[in-house]
Amino acid sequence: PILIVCATNVGIFLCYYMVRKIAEIINNPEGPNDRLLWSMRFFSFIFFLLALALGAVAIVFYTRRHQSRNSTPPESRDKNELCLVMDFFDNHDMWHFFSATALFLAFIFLLTIDDDLLLTDRDKIVVF
């Protein structure tokens, strides 16, 4: 339950920040000659979309549980399935891989989304 609450909180925050950033970009357009600025923004949003996509894949793996803590060990063992990736990684491992990658990309998005403000004076930065 706490994992779902934290993931939902991070997802809502990322969506809110992205919507506010897009609104700021639309309201304050720069000239078309500023390709570096647009490329930085483009890659930031690519990181965001990749984080959402991999987060969705991680949720799919998280919801497919192949064990039960409420049953006896033999009953839980009967629910186990064969490892599906390279005959080594199971469902739980894939959840760890995808969720960690999604979190990494979400943090990269947050680190790079405001790179266009590096050369802007502090008093001219719109705070929301």
Side-chain angles (χ1 to χ4, degrees):
I2 190 73
L3 179 66
I4 295 170
V5 171
C6 290
T8 304
N9 187 20
V10 168
I12 289 172
F13 173 75
L14 287 175
C15 290
Y16 168 77
Y17 199 83
M18 189 174 105
V19 166
R20 291 299 305 250
K21 190 68 176 179
I22 289 173
E24 178 188 351
I25 291 168
I26 291 171
N27 291 336
N28 300 321
E30 281 79 25
N33 297 331
D34 204 357
R35 291 180 190 253
L36 178 63
L37 181 66
W38 282 102
S39 65
M40 288 190 304
R41 288 177 178 165
F42 174 75
F43 283 114
S44 292
F45 291 121
I46 290 296
F47 291 140
F48 175 75
L49 294 175
L50 284 173
L52 284 181
L54 291 176
V57 172
I59 288 171
V60 169
F61 280 108
Y62 181 75
T63 57
R64 286 195 218 156
R65 294 189 180 170
H66 297 292
Q67 80 280 356
S68 175
R69 294 181 184 168
N70 297 330
S71 59
T72 64
E75 290 172 347
S76 179
R77 224 174 330 195
D78 289 338
K79 291 182 179 180
N80 287 347
E81 292 184 4
L82 294 175
C83 296
L84 56 116
V85 178
M86 296 186 288
D87 290 330
F88 188 75
F89 299 112
D90 68 349
N91 192 46
H92 189 77
D93 295 325
M94 297 308 296
W95 168 69
H96 276 283
F97 293 148
F98 283 111
S99 63
T101 307
L103 284 172
F104 172 75
L105 289 172
F107 289 132
I108 293 297
F109 162 71
L110 288 175
L111 285 171
T112 59
I113 191 162
D114 285 330
D115 280 352
D116 58 332
L117 299 175
L118 287 175
L119 302 176
T120 306
D121 293 332
R122 282 191 179 196
D123 56 348
K124 294 180 182 175
I125 297 175
V126 177
V127 179
F128 45 84

